[in-house]
Amino acid sequence: MDNLRELYQQVILDHNKNPRNFRFMEDFTVKADGHNPLCGDKLQLFIKIDGDYISDISFMGSGCAISKASASIMTEELKGKSIADAEKLFKNFRNMITSGEITSDDIGKLEVLTGVHKYPSRVKCALLAWHTLKNILDQNDTTTTTE
Amino acid sequence: MGMNNMFDLYNIRSNFPIFNQPDLPPLVFLDNASTTQKPTQVLEAVNQFYCRYNANVHRGIYKIAEQATEAYESVRDKVAEFIGTADRRNIVFTKSTTESINLVAYSWARKFLKTGDEILVTEMEHHSNLVPWQLAAQHTGATLKYIPLNKSGSLDMSSPERYFTKNTKLVAISHQSNVLGTINSVKEIIGYARDVGAKTLIDGAQFVPHSKLDVQNLDCDFYVFSGHKMMGPTGVGILYGKADMLETMDPFLGGGDMILSVTMEKAIWNDIPYKFEAGTPNIAQVIGLGAAIDFMKNMNIDSIDSQVRMLTSTAVSRLREIKGLTVLGHENGIDSTSVISFFHKDIHPHDIAHLLDTFGISVRAGHHCAQPVMDKYDLSASVRVSFYVYNTIDEIEQLISGLQKTMEYFR
Ligand SMILES: Cc1ncc(COP(=O)(O)O)c(C=O)c1O
């Protein structure tokens, strides 16, 4: 069970069970679909932008505990942040999830996902919401895949 | 119980090095529909070839080249006998089931199909028995039709006249589903196909590893399967084709070994089956497949069948006892074995497979290269367990207890 805890931390299990900002948004500024063809997970991300700031963010969809928790924590971390900070966080998170190393102090609660880097097949799950975000930031309103 | 004792006596697991590694925790391998483990006899046959008579086939006039050719060709006879044909020219070695299907799609379908013709598949197919036909249809202008799947796990054969028409030119169906474990009534389907003059291809990738096949009795035009799913090495697939079909087809790949004579302008094809085996084949792997067939024959294919059925029915009932878990298919009256897919109402298949892996149990999670089947059940993914002759009742109990722990963990 020990190596289980490393991946499925309590916080992850909690976000899986009670995902935050898990709702449809009517007055979104942008939205995008994400898809992981490997496991069929689908995700919809909604963002409301006020000036340079993310004033609201939410998601919908089905996915494994890792992808759901990653999306849930992402929305918590990004709400109220500037677009530029969101870009930065995306880079730092991607770096952490692929290398297992935390090189920046803005990673916040996302740290619970560090264990994922040891499981290459799960890295895609953790990145699904983030790639969808990146797609929105790049103003590229098509379906994202993690392949 | 009797069957179980027999296999305990035979002590089948002792033949598989992967199950006997004292430095590692025991491997509970329940992903046999994907590929099977290899017994020492197979590994040894491959090793012997490389260590003692490694040479190319059909070329050299020296001793070990003849030995290699003889070993390679004797597997053709073995396969022919194993699947019930007396004619060794019916057996083409390919790289996989996938390649066998593509060979027919290119060399037969693209040559003979035209606009207005219909290719009939089913909603149950592995992508490898679907995508090559989609491509062939695009290329020739033929249309692709399919026999739908019932949620109970069987094909909807209630109105065959809707699917088998005078335009149907090819019927390509799996003998057994790699998601549901359902064995299709291929004999009946081949009958319908023959009535409308359509050719038939049966994908036996899942069926052949544990069941007696008699192609003569089925009377299909093509039958395909993979060696690696029946304890043989990877890299060998089989294409059975009726001789008159193979004769009319163009080669799939061009190169050495598949020609009788070549000038700068043209080549004259070699006889079947060599016309379809361009270049140096997977010699060692074919020889390994021969050893796998011997191993299966020694165990007796009917005993393999009953052992796998016993494991499957035990697992289906045990899984159905678990609250929140739903098994796809395997309903009463449907012939099904070896493969079981299921899902849990709250826990994602990926998470289930991951937790089971931490308990040392290998299962598959995903769409199993059969997305239309998943769509039928409104699922994006399922967990799949699949058995082979070396699995045990004790492993099923480990699976059940692993699932219970998983549910506890995600509660
Ligand atoms: C029913 C079926 N058809 C075809 C295939 C493809 O076999 P291969 O990957 O050996 O070509 C598989 C393998 O999973 C299968 O289960």
Side-chain angles (χ1 to χ4, degrees), chain B residues 6 28 39 48 82 90 99 125 131 152 169 242 245 319 340 390:
Chain B
M6 203 184 92
V28 179
Q48 285 289 309
F82 187 66
N90 295 147
E99 188 175 280
E125 300 312 311
V131 181
S152 61
K169 290 289 147 45
K242 280 187 178 168
M245 295 295 289
L319 288 166
I340 310 170
Y390 40 63

Side-chain angles (χ1 to χ4, degrees), chain A residues 7-8 17 37 41 63 65 122, chain B residues 348 351 354-355 367 409 411:
Chain A
L7 180 64
Y8 291 101
K17 238 179 140 177
D41 285 354
R122 306 308 297 276
Chain B
H348 193 278
D351 295 318
H354 196 110
L355 261 79
H367 53 59
Y409 195 78
R411 206 174 41 167

Side-chain angles (χ1 to χ4, degrees), chain B residues 33 96-98 126 128 176 178 203 205-206 226 228-229:
Chain B
S96 59
T97 298
T98 304
H126 188 281
S128 66
Q176 183 183 5
N178 72 312
D203 172 358
Q206 292 300 333
S226 290
H228 70 95
K229 292 183 198 283

Side-chain angles (χ1 to χ4, degrees), chain B residues 172-229:
Chain B
I173 58 162
S174 53
H175 205 156
Q176 183 183 5
S177 161
N178 72 312
V179 177
L180 305 164
T182 308
I183 296 178
N184 292 317
S185 318
V186 286
K187 179 113 201 206
E188 183 193 352
I189 290 172
I190 292 164
Y192 286 128
R194 193 175 318 105
D195 289 347
V196 296
K199 304 299 181 194
T200 48
L201 176 143
I202 312 296
D203 172 358
Q206 292 300 333
F207 182 82
V208 177
H210 52 78
S211 319
K212 180 86 199 118
L213 173 65
D214 185 344
V215 283
Q216 213 99 64
N217 176 271
L218 277 186
D219 200 24
C220 51
D221 293 288
F222 301 104
Y223 196 102
V224 299
F225 58 104
S226 290
H228 70 95
K229 292 183 198 283

